[in-house]
Amino acid sequence: MQNLSKEYARFYNKKLTTQSGCLYIISTPIGNFDDISLRAIKIMNFVDFLLCEDTRKSKKLLSYLKIKNKKLISYNDNNAEKKRPYVIKQLLQNMNIGLISDAGTPLISDPGYKIIQDCYLNNIKVTHAPGATSVINALILSGLPTNQFFFGGFLSSKKSAREKQLLDTKYFDMTGIWFDTCLRVRDSLSIMYKLFGNRKVVITRELTKIHEDIISSDLKNINFAIQNKIENGKPLKGEITIVIAGYVENIEISLEELRTKIKDKLKKYSVKDIVKILNSEIGLSKKIIYNETIILKNKIDKS
C-alpha cells in the first residue's frame, strides 16, 4: 500500500464500519491485481476468514496485497453443499466471513447464490464489495449497444443443448453475452451464423491482462480472423467471452402478404396460436402480427 496517495491512504486507514455476523461478497480482479478496490482490501483484512474457490489462487492475490495469516477455507461447486451448514453456523455465532472467487465477481454464472438464500432464511446480513466482472468489461469493449443486454452464461458443451440455448435467444433484440471455451468457440460461432445469419460479433479473452485480446468482426468472417491468429502463432487459450449483436427485424414480407396469411389462419386458429405460428414461420415480431390479427379479426366479427 506504499504507493497510495495520502488521500487514499487516509481512507484506507479509517476503521471499517462493520456488523458482526455478516457475509461479505468480495469482487476480486479478473486479471490485473491492481484493479482491487480499497474497500475489498479492508474487508479481506477484517473478516475472520475467507471462503475461496481455490485457496492456492487466492493466496497469490493475498500475497500481492500483503495480507498475511488470513484463514482460507475452500468453498466451490464440489464441496459447497457440505460446507454451507458450517458457514451459516459461524455467521450465526457472529463471525464475519468473506466470499471470493478465483477472479471477478462471485456468484456470476455459478451456484454460489444458494449461500445468499440460506443467509436470508437465517436473517444474516449480506453485503457486496463490487468490482470487476468480465461480463461488463467485454460489453464495454465490444462497441455494441450497451443500453440493453442479456447474459446467457456458459454455452453447453453438448452441441444439441448449445443449439437450443442459442435458438431460444434468436429474436432477442438486445446485445447478448455468453461464456465459452477456446476449444469449442469456433463451433459455437458457426452455430450462431447458421441460426442468426450474419451479425456483428466480438470475442474477448485475457481482459485486463498483458495479453488482452479482442477480436471484432461478424459471424460470417470471425472464424477466418481466428484462423489467421492461429497461423500467426497466437491461438486462443482459456475462457472466451462472446458479445453478439441483437436481432434486428428484417421484414421480407409485404403487409398484404401478412394479412393474407392471417386471414387463412383465422379460419382454424386462435389469435394466440396465429401469433406463435407466424412468428416462427416468418420471423416477424409478435407485436406486429398480433396487432394485424386483431384488426382483421374485428373486421370479420363485424361483417
Side-chain angles (χ1 to χ4, degrees), residues 81-92:
E81 292 292 332
K82 293 181 180 179
K83 293 282 183 76
R84 227 170 14 251
Y86 168 79
V87 174
I88 295 299
K89 181 180 179 181
Q90 299 306 304
L91 288 164
L92 288 171

Side-chain angles (χ1 to χ4, degrees), residues 140-152:
I140 290 168
L141 292 170
S142 71
L144 291 169
T146 58
N147 57 315
Q148 285 187 309
F149 65 93
F150 75 90
F151 173 54

Side-chain angles (χ1 to χ4, degrees), residues 16-26 39-52 62 67-73 91 94-100 127 129:
L16 183 69
T17 301
T18 61
Q19 176 172 338
S20 293
C22 180
L23 177 67
Y24 293 86
I25 311 300
I26 308 167
R39 183 174 172 227
I41 296 171
K42 293 176 77 171
I43 292 172
M44 285 193 284
N45 271 295
F46 163 78
V47 293
D48 295 294
F49 61 87
L50 287 169
L51 301 175
C52 310
L62 296 182
I67 298 175
K68 300 178 180 178
N69 304 317
K70 181 60 60 178
K71 182 179 178 181
L72 305 179
I73 294 179
L91 288 164
N94 289 332
M95 297 285 275
N96 289 294
I97 301 171
L99 172 65
I100 62 177
T127 191

Side-chain angles (χ1 to χ4, degrees), residues 57-259:
K57 292 183 178 179
S58 297
K59 282 178 182 177
K60 292 178 182 179
L61 174 63
L62 296 182
S63 175
Y64 182 82
L65 298 173
K66 295 180 171 54
I67 298 175
K68 300 178 180 178
N69 304 317
K70 181 60 60 178
K71 182 179 178 181
L72 305 179
I73 294 179
S74 171
Y75 185 85
N76 51 50
D77 292 351
N78 297 321
N79 63 22
E81 292 292 332
K82 293 181 180 179
K83 293 282 183 76
R84 227 170 14 251
Y86 168 79
V87 174
I88 295 299
K89 181 180 179 181
Q90 299 306 304
L91 288 164
L92 288 171
Q93 292 177 355
N94 289 332
M95 297 285 275
N96 289 294
I97 301 171
L99 172 65
I100 62 177
S101 64
D102 288 346
T105 299
L107 281 62
I108 299 296
S109 199
D110 77 37
Y113 67 87
K114 292 177 182 177
I115 197 169
I116 310 299
Q117 292 179 338
D118 283 0
C119 283
Y120 291 151
L121 287 172
N122 287 277
N123 294 315
I124 296 167
K125 180 174 173 59
V126 181
T127 191
H128 175 220
T133 167
S134 59
V135 176
I136 300 302
N137 275 40
L139 175 66
I140 290 168
L141 292 170
S142 71
L144 291 169
T146 58
N147 57 315
Q148 285 187 309
F149 65 93
F150 75 90
F151 173 54
F154 272 99
L155 285 165
S156 175
S157 59
K158 296 180 179 178
K159 190 169 183 177
S160 58
R162 210 178 331 159
E163 287 186 351
K164 186 179 185 306
Q165 280 178 287
L166 294 168
L167 189 58
D168 286 345
T169 68
K170 180 175 180 177
Y171 297 114
F172 285 11
D173 59 353
M174 63 191 77
T175 302
I177 306 170
W178 298 92
F179 286 160
D180 206 353
T181 69
C182 62
L183 297 176
R184 58 175 180 259
V185 67
R186 297 178 73 181
D187 187 54
S188 296
L189 292 166
S190 295
I191 293 171
M192 287 179 175
Y193 183 47
K194 180 181 74 175
L195 296 176
F196 300 159
N198 201 23
R199 294 189 194 178
K200 177 79 173 176
V201 66
V202 177
I203 62 173
T204 69
R205 55 178 292 275
E206 296 289 286
L207 292 175
T208 77
K209 300 179 185 178
I210 294 173
H211 300 294
E212 180 174 273
D213 200 5
I214 301 167
I215 305 175
S216 178
S217 185
D218 55 38
L219 287 172
K220 185 178 181 180
N221 296 296
I222 187 74
N223 275 326
F224 294 116
I226 294 172
Q227 182 61 34
N228 185 56
K229 291 182 75 69
I230 292 171
E231 291 173 358
N232 283 283
K234 297 179 180 179
L236 299 183
K237 295 180 180 179
E239 289 182 1
I240 308 290
T241 304
I242 303 171
V243 188
I244 184 166
Y247 170 73
V248 176
E249 192 170 321
N250 181 19
I251 302 175
E252 296 180 350
I253 183 172
S254 69
L255 194 55
E256 197 57 43
E257 288 176 302
L258 174 62
R259 288 171 177 169

Side-chain angles (χ1 to χ4, degrees), residues 21 35 105 274 277:
D35 288 334
T105 299
I274 291 171
I277 291 167

